[in-house]
Amino acid sequence: MSKTFTFALMDAPFENARSTTALRLIDLAIKRGYNVNVFAYEGAVYLPFAKQAQHANAVHGRSVEEENHPLPRAWIAAIMNEAAGKGIKVDWVNCGLCVDERGAGEAIDGVRRGGPADFWKFAESSDNTLVIGTK
Amino acid sequence: MAGYLLIESHDPFENNIVARQYDLAVNLVKEGNQVTLFLVQNGVLPARPGTCSSLLTNTARAGVEVLADDFSLRERGIAPSRLTDGIKAAPLSIVIDYLADGRKAIWH
């Protein structure tokens, strides 16, 4: 039986390299064949926000297509698709209170609403847990 | 003996806690544990020879395995062949491997 890892994320997207590193780690875990739980807390609930949109860059004179601005929701969807293709489980929980505070309810498919108790359950049932805090 | 994985994402110029994390790694080794200090993001900056590099060299000499994320090194133009003594470049995937081994992981 494949191992399962839990990652707790707290950073909002587009702000810190931690978000990118966290998604790299999750991707690597899936590439290794491990199941992954994600508990997104505070600003991290915006990582899979469905309304993230690409934009042009007027300063550099680039169109939307030329700018091709990367979106975390697309990275997460790609991670979930990769996992599904391999029969690997990704259970992504957005903290419900954090979602309500931020109006971040419109998440991509595969993300479910939960609470801190889900993080406890994840940690209890996982082979290992990594908490990536904001400091 | 327990295994620890300390992940350091800050550099000691911006954050005074970083040196304490290095000390934590050394003290865990002194207690008989197996310890890896994995540098990522700006945490790799002191891997380039400079005024704070001796902190990492001393950490390595104390028995801590000190690794620097090769992607973070490339982003910052630091050649893996020119790291300060005691530090090796490594892929981020080693974090996943150590999690699978049951290392106790602490992110800073």
Side-chain angles (χ1 to χ4, degrees):
Chain A
M1 184 176 171
S2 182
K3 292 186 176 181
T4 299
F5 301 139
T6 292
F7 295 89
L9 315 180
M10 297 172 71
D11 280 288
F14 308 108
E15 292 185 3
N16 194 287
R18 280 186 294 269
S19 301
T20 309
T21 304
L23 293 177
R24 287 176 63 208
L25 284 168
I26 293 166
D27 181 57
L28 287 165
I30 289 162
K31 283 183 164 54
R32 288 279 200 271
Y34 300 123
N35 299 309
V36 171
N37 298 321
V38 178
F39 182 69
Y41 196 58
E42 298 181 346
V45 298
Y46 264 120
L47 287 167
F49 187 56
K51 289 197 168 180
Q52 292 170 10
Q54 292 185 316
H55 55 73
N57 189 325
V59 174
H60 294 122
R62 291 196 287 257
S63 67
V64 172
E65 292 76 20
E66 290 166 337
E67 180 73 1
N68 194 23
H69 194 79
L71 300 177
R73 67 164 171 80
W75 293 343
I76 294 166
I79 285 170
M80 289 180 169
N81 286 337
E82 181 181 13
K86 293 181 173 182
I88 294 167
K89 183 182 175 188
V90 176
D91 192 356
W92 186 298
V93 169
N94 266 355
C95 166
L97 294 178
C98 309
V99 164
D100 292 343
E101 287 169 342
R102 292 163 176 79
E106 294 157 292
I108 62 171
D109 290 344
V111 173
R112 67 183 176 93
R113 180 187 173 94
D118 289 293
F119 175 59
W120 180 80
K121 292 173 187 169
F122 279 164
E124 280 287 299
S125 61
S126 295
D127 294 280
N128 215 329
T129 296
L130 179 62
V131 177
I132 301 179
T134 54
K135 293 285 184 181
Chain B
M1 182 178 76
Y4 288 86
L5 172 63
L6 276 60
I7 303 170
E8 183 53 70
S9 64
H10 296 281
D11 73 76
F13 295 101
E14 67 162 323
N15 189 312
N16 288 333
I17 295 173
V18 173
R20 295 181 188 171
Q21 292 295 105
Y22 299 167
D23 287 342
L24 173 62
V26 170
N27 286 322
L28 286 168
V29 167
K30 286 179 179 173
E31 294 290 328
N33 299 293
Q34 186 178 17
V35 183
T36 296
L37 176 65
F38 187 85
L39 311 174
V40 68
Q41 300 167 193
N42 281 348
V44 303
L45 289 177
R48 180 178 57 192
T51 56
C52 286
S53 301
S54 61
L55 295 172
L56 283 176
T57 299
N58 292 338
T59 300
R61 285 178 180 159
V64 176
E65 181 186 37
V66 183
L67 304 175
D69 174 40
D70 55 5
F71 181 86
S72 300
L73 289 170
R74 284 200 307 277
E75 283 182 317
R76 289 157 182 80
I78 303 172
S81 59
R82 299 189 62 189
L83 301 182
T84 195
D85 288 345
I87 305 172
K88 296 176 185 171
L92 188 67
S93 57
I94 204 161
V95 171
I96 300 301
D97 294 337
Y98 282 159
L99 289 177
D101 286 344
R103 295 277 192 113
K104 299 175 182 178
I106 303 170
W107 176 285
H108 175 247

